[in-house]
Amino acid sequence: MIKNVFETVVLDELEKMLIRQAGSIVHYPKGHTIFAAGDFADRVYLIESGWVKIYRLSTDGRRVTVGSIRSPGELMGLAETLWGGERTCFAGAINNVSLVVLRKNKFEELMATHPFLAIKIAKLLGARMREAEGIIHEMVSWQAPGRLALTLLKIGERCGVETKGGIRIGLPLTHEELANMVGTSRQTVTSLLNTFKQEKSITYEGREIKIVNPDKLAKWII
Amino acid sequence: MIKNVFETVVLDELEKMLIRQAGSIVHYPKGHTIFAAGDFADRVYLIESGWVKIYRLSTDGRRVTVGSIRSPGELMGLAETLWGGERTCFAGAINNVSLVVLRKNKFEELMATHPFLAIKIAKLLGARMREAEGIIHEMVSWQAPGRLALTLLKIGERCGVETKGGIRIGLPLTHEELANMVGTSRQTVTSLLNTFKQEKSITYEGREIKIVNPDKLAKWII
DNA sequence: GTTTTAATGTCGACTGGATGACATTATGAT
DNA sequence: ATCATAATGTCATCCAGTCGACATTAAAAC
C-alpha cells in the first residue's frame, strides 16, 4: 500500500560543494525564525544540520504547515527565490540549525555555469511539486484520521530514528503543530493520537511519538 | 486584498521555438484523455491551443482537480517527466487541443545544451510550487464558500474573456467539476453559486458563468 | 524547591457540509 | 419533434469535526 511515501531528489556531494563554496555558513538557534513572509526572497539555503519547518500564517493567525519539514542535505527557500518576489511563508528552526546561505545572483550564476545543477534543481522542484499535489489530493479526499496517519508516517520516514521497537520521531512536535499540518483542530489530534496509541500503532516516549506498527497506522489511510 | 491571484512564469518565443523544433505536434479532440495515471512519464507537452485539466482519482473514484487548468503557452506533464516514474495524474482535453509533444531525453538534451532553458524551467516549477502551496493553505484554512470564490477568480483570470459587464468563463465547467477543484460536494457548489448569483457577484449566461463583481466575490475569501 | 507557563486530556453543544433522494431543466442524439 | 442523458435545483437527515470551557499534567523559569 505505502511502498514509498516519499520521493526525494537529493543533491550529491559535488553539487553541495559547489553551493558551499559559493555561499557562507550561518547558525540559528532552536526556535529562531530564519525567514519570514514579506522578506525579500533573495537567497537560498542548504541545510547542513538540524530541521526546519516551513509554514504560513492564515489571516486568523493560525499557523499552517504547508511545505512540511526540511532535513539536512535539503535546499530550502528555493521556489520563492527563483520567483524573486516576497516570501509568502516562514521558516523556523525546529532545533539548532546550521545552513549555507547563497545569494540569488550567485545561485543563478552557479546554475548558468553548471547546467547539470540547473537540471537537478528542476528535478528537485518537480519532485516537490508531485509531493505538493499529493498533499492537495489528500487534503481534499481524506478524513482527519487518514491525514494524520499519513503525516506521521511521512515525518517518520523523513526525520525519524530507527530504534528497536519502532521509529522514534525525535522532534518537539506539539499536537497543535500536527493539527496545522493536517488541517484539523488540536483536540481532534489529541484524541486521534490516543486512538492510535490504544491500537498500539504508536507509543509515547515522554512526549515524543514512536511509530511501533506502521502497517496498522497505514490502515487508517483511505 | 487579492492583488494578484496568479503568478505565472511564461515561456518566451525563443524557448517555445526550441521545443517546437525538437518535438512534434499532435491534436486531441474535446474530452480525450491525453495521459493517465500509471502511464510512464516520458514526455512533456507544450499547449498550443485549447485548455487541459489536470486531475487525480481518489480511491473511491472521485475526481480531484489538483493541478488546476493549463492554458495555451503552458508546459504540462513537467514535474512527473523530470522525476521519471509513473504518472499519478490524468490530463483531459477540455476542448479541442493542439500540443507539441517532446520526449524526455530530447527535453533533457535541450536543457543541457541551453542552460537558460533549464533555469527557466526551474523558475516555472518554482512558481507552480508557490501556487500549489497556496492551494494547500487555502484548503486547510478556508471554508467552502471562500475556496469556491477564489477558484472562480483564478479561473477567470487564467482563461476568462473580458467582456462588457464582466469576465466570462468560456469553459464547459459543471458544478461537479468545480466541486472537485474546491474539495466539496456538487450540491454545495450549486447552492453557493446561487448565493453568489443572488448577490449579483456572478451571472449565468446560458450555462456559462460570468463574473460581474469580482470585489464582491472576493469578500467571501477568508 | 516553587511558580508560571505550555501542552495535553476530555466533554458537550453546535454546525458546515456530506449524502441520498427526487424533481426539474438543459443538452444532445436519432 | 422525441427520447435519452446529463446537469442543476432543493430538501431533510446525519455525522465528523469544530469550538469553547475546563481539568490535568508536564516542562520551563525563577
Side-chain angles (χ1 to χ4, degrees), chain A residues 30 62 143-145 147 183-188 206-207:
Chain A
K30 170 179 171 175
R62 279 208 325 166
Q143 315 258 74
R147 301 206 301 268
T184 188
S185 67
R186 195 223 86 218
Q187 291 93 322
T188 302
R207 210 154 248 182

Side-chain angles (χ1 to χ4, degrees), chain B residues 53-211:
Chain B
K53 64 177 163 230
I54 311 291
Y55 59 92
R56 293 189 176 208
L57 291 184
S58 37
T59 34
D60 57 344
R62 276 206 330 163
R63 193 175 283 206
V64 178
T65 304
V66 68
S68 74
I69 290 171
R70 300 246 175 274
S71 327
E74 288 193 272
L75 285 172
M76 63 175 219
L78 201 52
E80 300 189 307
T81 304
L82 281 166
W83 165 254
E86 287 186 2
R87 298 211 186 265
T88 53
C89 57
F90 297 78
I94 296 182
N95 37 35
N96 291 339
V97 171
S98 305
L99 316 140
V100 178
V101 198
L102 182 55
R103 307 205 132 262
K104 180 188 165 82
N105 54 342
K106 273 276 187 186
F107 179 57
E108 296 203 338
E109 209 177 296
L110 218 56
M111 286 199 290
T113 45
H114 303 281
F116 68 90
L117 184 64
I119 295 178
K120 186 62 159 282
I121 300 293
K123 288 190 179 181
L124 203 153
L125 283 165
R128 287 202 191 154
M129 212 37 230
R130 277 175 68 118
E131 194 194 334
E133 289 183 346
I135 294 177
I136 296 174
H137 189 229
E138 292 150 20
M139 285 298 188
V140 174
S141 54
W142 296 352
Q143 315 257 73
R147 301 206 301 268
L148 180 59
L150 185 82
T151 302
L152 289 176
L153 288 169
K154 275 188 182 175
I155 296 177
E157 203 173 300
R158 178 168 271 194
C159 37
V161 191
E162 204 63 75
T163 65
K164 54 177 173 10
I167 303 156
R168 216 186 72 238
I169 298 175
L171 292 180
L173 277 177
T174 67
H175 294 187
E176 187 154 23
E177 288 187 293
L178 281 171
N180 294 332
M181 304 180 70
V182 163
T184 185
S185 68
R186 196 224 85 216
Q187 291 92 323
T188 303
V189 169
T190 299
S191 73
L192 283 176
L193 284 180
N194 285 332
T195 310
F196 295 165
K197 200 167 61 174
Q198 274 165 31
E199 290 220 338
K200 300 205 189 305
S201 312
I202 63 170
T203 50
Y204 279 2
E205 200 138 293
R207 211 154 247 181
E208 284 174 358
I209 293 168
K210 186 194 268 185
I211 302 174

Side-chain angles (χ1 to χ4, degrees), chain A:
Chain A
M1 182 150 309
I2 310 252
K3 347 145 197 230
N4 192 0
V5 203
F6 247 29
E7 305 160 331
T8 332
V9 173
V10 289
L11 297 175
D12 56 41
E13 268 313 309
L14 168 60
E15 291 157 344
K16 284 195 228 169
M17 281 319 293
L18 281 171
I19 292 169
R20 287 190 189 108
Q21 276 161 24
S24 51
I25 192 118
V26 285
H27 305 275
Y28 288 95
K30 170 179 171 175
H32 199 283
T33 300
I34 298 160
F35 59 73
D39 289 1
F40 188 61
D42 60 347
R43 56 198 76 182
V44 298
Y45 302 84
L46 169 64
I47 302 177
E48 294 283 23
S49 68
W51 278 273
V52 179
K53 65 177 163 229
I54 312 290
Y55 59 92
R56 293 188 176 208
L57 291 184
S58 39
T59 34
D60 59 342
R62 279 208 325 166
R63 195 174 284 206
V64 178
T65 305
V66 69
S68 73
I69 290 169
R70 300 245 175 274
S71 327
E74 287 192 275
L75 285 172
M76 65 176 216
L78 201 51
E80 301 190 306
T81 304
L82 282 166
W83 166 255
E86 288 187 1
R87 297 211 185 267
T88 53
C89 57
F90 297 77
I94 296 182
N95 38 33
N96 290 339
V97 171
S98 305
L99 315 140
V100 178
V101 198
L102 182 54
R103 306 206 131 262
K104 179 188 166 79
N105 55 340
K106 275 275 189 192
F107 179 57
E108 296 203 337
E109 209 176 296
L110 217 57
M111 286 199 290
T113 46
H114 304 280
F116 68 89
L117 184 65
I119 294 176
K120 186 61 159 282
I121 300 293
K123 286 189 178 180
L124 203 151
L125 283 165
R128 288 202 191 155
M129 215 32 233
R130 276 176 68 117
E131 194 192 334
E133 289 183 347
I135 294 177
I136 296 174
H137 190 228
E138 292 151 21
M139 285 299 186
V140 174
S141 53
W142 295 352
Q143 315 258 74
R147 301 206 301 268
L148 180 59
L150 185 82
T151 302
L152 288 176
L153 288 170
K154 275 188 180 175
I155 295 177
E157 201 172 301
R158 179 168 269 191
C159 36
V161 191
E162 201 67 71
T163 64
K164 54 180 171 8
I167 304 155
R168 216 186 73 237
I169 298 175
L171 293 179
L173 277 178
T174 67
H175 293 187
E176 187 153 22
E177 287 187 292
L178 281 171
N180 294 332
M181 303 180 70
V182 164
T184 188
S185 67
R186 195 223 86 218
Q187 291 93 322
T188 302
V189 169
T190 300
S191 72
L192 283 175
L193 284 179
N194 285 333
T195 308
F196 294 165
K197 199 167 62 176
Q198 275 166 32
E199 290 221 338
K200 302 207 189 302
S201 311
I202 64 170
T203 50
Y204 280 2
E205 200 137 291
R207 210 154 248 182
E208 283 173 2
I209 293 168
K210 186 194 267 186
I211 301 173
V212 217
N213 194 336
D215 296 327
K216 203 163 197 171
L217 198 52
K219 288 260 185 345
W220 288 94
I221 298 174
I222 267 183

Side-chain angles (χ1 to χ4, degrees), chain B residues 26-30 32-35 45 93 95-99 101:
Chain B
V26 285
H27 305 276
Y28 287 96
K30 170 178 172 177
H32 201 282
T33 299
I34 298 161
F35 59 72
Y45 301 85
N95 37 35
N96 291 339
V97 171
S98 305
L99 316 140
V101 198

